[in-house]
Amino acid sequence: MNKRFEKHVDGRSDLFIPFIVAGDPTEEATIKLALMLQEEGANAIELGIPYSDPLADGPVIQRASIRALEHGMSLEKAMNIVPKMRERGLEIPVIVFTYYNLLLQLGEERFFALVRENNIDGLLVPDLPFEESEEWRESCKMNDTALISLVAPTTSDKRLTAIAKEATGFLYCVSSLGVTGTRTDFHSSVFEFIDRVKSLSPIPVAVGFGVSAPEQVAKLKEYCDGVIVGSAIVRQIEAQVDGLTNEETQVEAIDHIRSYIRDLISPYEKLKINT
């Protein structure tokens, strides 16, 4: 198992896994946001790679991708940010969240060379079906990289069993069908689904798609090992774009986002990594 996953993710039942878009709104802001998220108790970071046609992403993350792409962000440039995060104190795992087309354009050999060079810990490819992922799973194993698998309420027991058997890092439970975005509540069937996943998974189970409020975290913590929060955080970043791009106001802008994070994960009563 990847050492950072073993230290910060494995065996935990209070996982907080935030998602941010690389380069939104700037590279420097991305680094500082990652460090703030670690300070506030994040167990891993999903580093989203901006893409012009993000099939699983709702409008909030789509707008973030546009902002990052306008500043020239790419898969390779995003991966090169990670060592800068490490130099400034980031200890938790970094998971590259990217669509398969970008991997094909870069090439498998080049991608894993960058993984090794940049101390990247995981890969999540939402449009790569499990049945077509064997080659990537093997390459991830060879490079000590967790390939994060997604399962949804529509996943059959047979398929869920196969995915859980091969899963590494943590198992990502999609709480609802459709694209990412904040939601006010979860359908009652979601909790039955999480129970089913937990019964089959040998690794932590985290729930994403729609988590945006402490009440949701409090409810989910009864059923799963953690939450993945994307759109809600990216929405906070969007609200602070002007402040984040101005050196004089950047600290204040990050503190606004920090306050939201503290409230969001307050049901966990987590120990921060720097205490």
Side-chain angles (χ1 to χ4, degrees):
M1 176 184 290
N2 176 282
K3 289 182 179 179
R4 291 192 187 92
F5 272 97
E6 186 174 12
K7 180 177 180 180
H8 297 287
V9 174
D10 191 40
R12 299 292 296 265
S13 60
D14 59 351
L15 295 173
F16 167 47
I17 303 169
F19 168 99
I20 56 176
V21 175
D24 176 34
T26 67
E27 178 180 309
E28 178 64 15
T30 299
I31 294 169
K32 289 182 177 177
L33 286 165
L35 293 170
M36 179 274 287
L37 290 165
Q38 174 177 259
E39 290 167 5
E40 296 306 318
N43 299 87
I45 299 278
E46 285 186 5
L47 187 62
I49 309 303
Y51 184 46
S52 59
D53 189 23
L55 301 177
D57 295 327
V60 173
I61 295 177
Q62 288 182 26
R63 290 195 297 270
S65 288
I66 291 170
R67 290 192 295 271
L69 289 169
E70 286 176 347
H71 289 95
M73 188 52 60
S74 66
L75 172 54
E76 189 161 349
K77 288 180 180 178
M79 295 174 76
N80 288 334
I81 294 174
V82 178
K84 300 174 186 178
M85 295 177 177
R86 300 278 182 226
E87 288 170 4
R88 289 161 68 170
L90 193 76
E91 299 176 10
I92 58 177
V94 175
I95 302 154
V96 169
F97 184 116
T98 187
Y99 288 89
Y100 192 47
N101 190 43
L102 295 181
L103 293 176
L104 287 176
Q105 290 178 32
L106 184 63
E108 186 174 342
E109 185 176 338
R110 178 61 181 156
F111 174 77
F112 282 107
L114 288 168
V115 164
R116 294 188 297 271
E117 291 169 14
N118 294 311
N119 289 319
I120 289 164
D121 308 280
L123 172 65
L124 199 164
V125 191
D127 58 345
L128 176 61
F130 171 74
E131 291 78 9
E132 298 174 23
S133 67
E134 184 175 357
E135 181 179 338
W136 283 88
R137 278 188 276 125
E138 288 303 313
S139 293
C140 282
K141 288 177 184 176
M142 290 173 59
N143 289 277
D144 196 24
T145 306
L147 181 60
I148 309 300
S149 299
L150 292 91
V151 292
T154 53
T155 305
S156 68
D157 283 347
K158 181 179 179 181
R159 191 165 185 266
L160 178 55
T161 300
I163 293 172
K165 183 180 178 182
E166 297 291 336
T168 53
F170 61 89
L171 197 51
Y172 189 139
C173 276
V174 176
S175 67
S176 57
L177 303 181
V179 298
T180 58
T182 57
R183 292 168 176 79
T184 56
D185 206 352
F186 300 112
H187 193 277
S188 59
S189 62
V190 167
F191 302 106
E192 298 171 8
F193 162 61
I194 298 170
D195 280 340
R196 184 159 57 98
V197 177
K198 282 282 291 177
S199 71
L200 293 170
S201 179
I203 60 175
V205 172
V207 176
F209 276 52
V211 180
S212 60
E215 295 79 13
Q216 294 171 322
V217 175
K219 182 67 174 176
L220 287 168
K221 72 192 286 280
E222 301 173 23
Y223 293 88
C224 65
D225 301 306
V227 294
I228 301 156
V229 187
S231 293
I233 293 174
V234 176
R235 188 184 297 276
Q236 294 292 318
I237 293 169
E238 183 174 49
Q240 300 295 329
V241 161
D242 290 341
L244 288 168
T245 52
N246 185 331
E247 189 174 335
E248 293 182 1
T249 57
Q250 197 171 64
V251 171
E252 182 181 354
I254 288 174
D255 281 343
H256 275 288
I257 301 166
R258 186 192 302 273
S259 295
Y260 171 78
I261 297 298
R262 286 183 177 176
D263 182 57
L264 176 67
I265 62 170
S266 58
Y268 280 156
E269 298 179 351
K270 294 171 69 77
L271 284 174
K272 297 175 188 177
I273 196 166
N274 63 341
T275 58

